[in-house]
Amino acid sequence: MKTMYWQDNHLFLVDQTQLPDKTVYVECKTYQNVIHAIKTLMVRGAPAIGVAAAFAMALAELNGENLKKVADEIKASRPTAVNLFWAVDRVLKADSALDEAFKMYEEDINTNQAIGRVGAKVIEDGDTILTHCNAGALACVDYGTALGVIRAAVDEGKNIRVVCDETRPVCQGARLSVFEMQDEGIPVKLIVDSAAGRLMQEGKINKVIIGADRVACGGVANKIGSLMVALAAKRFKVPFYVAAPKSTFDEEISIYDVEIEERDPLEVLYYGKCRVAPEGTKVENPAFDIVPSDLITGIITEDGILLPI
Ligand code: MRU
């Protein structure tokens, strides 16, 4: 399944809010359509947001818009994944927004395959790997970062099992990562987020691999729940890897200066269509965690495995 494609001068995005039940592509004719898709999580995952933002700039260029003004609007769509800002700035410097977006589209696939090759070296035959949220093909143009490492290890003939945290509140682990693994015939189990520690305590997890929305000084930002997984992994001596392209690195700043997106309380108050808390319940809904460097074994990039900065 394609996360996105360009056809007849429009961008088509698979609506990830409807997966795994329905595969529906939304047609984006304007940059505003792409901003809406980013804000509502139709397209999500740091690399996918970046490439979608580049195509949003291309749509704006084709529609004769002021690209500097559009760039600011696109950058305001979500705050945490640095790929969004990286992509928009890169397109602003290019001669043609569309050509640059196509370049980024191709690069994303090649980069993820390189991350996969690098990461597969730390995966042993028989490993059970825990992952959180979705850092798969759906979070990128294709192949994925954390799930790309798993794909590459499986392609090398290693016998791998995957455990996916459901990743409340919007369950990208349950809906998207389980879906991707099942689709490829890779053995996968789903757990509730709070079961991750229990499985590590029982020795049922050999490695954790997650993605990242930003890698900065002092740690990594990734989906809420990542910190609890990292703490449990440290306690039970399970290697904890982050798989991320260099486009997710923001080495100039402290990870504690990254804006953590706060999302709609309704995501917490409802489980799917079912309300799970009484009327009037107050909610905090931070979408991302910061995992400090001392909890991270290594960062798997296209250029090799790096120690956290
Ligand atoms: O809110 P989302 O779904 O955009 O969050 C996605 C994640 O946290 C991913 O793990 C991260 O972007 C890495 S994707 C390769």
Side-chain angles (χ1 to χ4, degrees):
M1 176 188 305
K2 281 187 162 67
T3 304
M4 66 184 86
Y5 61 91
W6 181 262
Q7 191 177 296
D8 300 331
N9 279 340
H10 291 159
L11 178 66
F12 291 78
L13 297 168
V14 69
D15 178 357
Q16 300 194 31
T17 64
Q18 299 196 53
L19 289 173
D21 293 343
K22 291 188 195 131
T23 304
V24 175
Y25 282 86
V26 289
E27 182 175 4
C28 300
K29 298 180 182 174
T30 64
Y31 78 88
Q32 290 97 334
N33 293 154
V34 183
I35 289 178
H36 174 72
I38 293 173
K39 284 185 173 170
T40 57
L41 306 183
M42 283 177 187
V43 62
R44 34 67 49 200
I49 292 171
V51 179
F55 280 115
M57 291 287 282
L59 287 168
E61 185 181 65
L62 287 169
N63 293 332
E65 313 269 358
N66 173 338
L67 284 192
K68 282 215 172 95
K69 185 182 144 287
V70 169
D72 290 340
E73 281 182 57
I74 297 172
K75 285 179 181 180
S77 57
R78 287 190 80 186
T80 307
V82 74
N83 304 60
L84 174 70
F85 307 94
W86 168 83
V88 170
D89 286 338
R90 187 170 146 178
V91 170
L92 266 183
K93 285 186 213 132
D95 291 333
S96 149
L98 186 57
D99 287 352
E100 200 64 17
F102 276 130
K103 252 191 235 165
M104 290 161 85
Y105 184 96
E106 293 301 330
E107 274 174 25
D108 181 78
I109 302 170
N110 294 333
T111 300
N112 295 336
Q113 288 172 344
I115 290 172
R117 284 191 295 275
V118 169
K121 295 195 183 100
V122 301
I123 310 298
E124 285 160 64
D125 189 36
D127 272 355
T128 298
I129 299 167
L130 176 78
T131 191
H132 189 75
C133 193
N134 173 266
L138 288 163
C140 305
V141 174
D142 205 349
Y143 204 71
T145 57
L147 297 191
V149 171
I150 290 165
R151 285 191 167 94
V154 169
D155 284 348
E156 285 180 3
K158 290 174 187 162
N159 192 7
I160 305 298
R161 291 174 187 281
V162 178
V163 173
C164 295
D165 286 342
E166 63 175 342
T167 319
R168 274 282 282 155
V170 289
C171 294
Q172 297 99 327
R175 293 187 301 104
L176 307 176
S177 292
V178 172
F179 173 68
E180 282 194 36
M181 293 294 93
Q182 278 183 347
D183 194 46
E184 304 224 352
I186 298 173
V188 59
K189 271 189 187 167
L190 173 67
I191 59 170
V192 295
D193 297 327
S194 43
R198 167 81 186 146
L199 266 72
M200 288 190 239
Q201 189 177 44
E202 288 185 293
K204 289 182 173 168
I205 304 293
N206 305 103
K207 273 155 201 118
V208 177
I209 310 181
I210 64 165
D213 290 85
R214 209 180 286 223
V215 178
C217 287
V220 162
N222 192 57
K223 178 60 49 176
I224 196 76
S226 300
L227 174 60
M228 300 289 275
V229 176
L231 286 165
K234 186 78 168 180
R235 172 64 178 80
F236 297 111
K237 299 187 170 47
V238 177
F240 182 97
Y241 288 99
V242 174
K246 287 301 203 53
S247 53
T248 303
F249 280 58
D250 190 5
E251 287 159 285
E252 304 296 304
I253 64 160
S254 159
I255 195 69
Y256 296 99
D257 290 336
V258 173
E259 185 184 342
I260 299 295
E261 180 181 8
E262 182 75 23
R263 292 192 64 88
D264 191 336
L266 291 177
E267 290 181 352
V268 179
L269 291 170
Y270 281 80
Y271 195 96
K273 291 198 170 102
C274 179
R275 179 179 255 281
V276 289
E279 292 283 348
T281 302
K282 292 196 171 71
V283 168
E284 269 195 45
N285 187 17
F288 297 97
D289 256 337
I290 290 170
V291 181
S293 297
D294 63 298
L295 302 181
I296 300 169
T297 308
I299 303 179
I300 304 167
T301 75
E302 61 272 38
D303 295 336
I305 300 180
L306 309 179
L307 288 175
I309 42 178

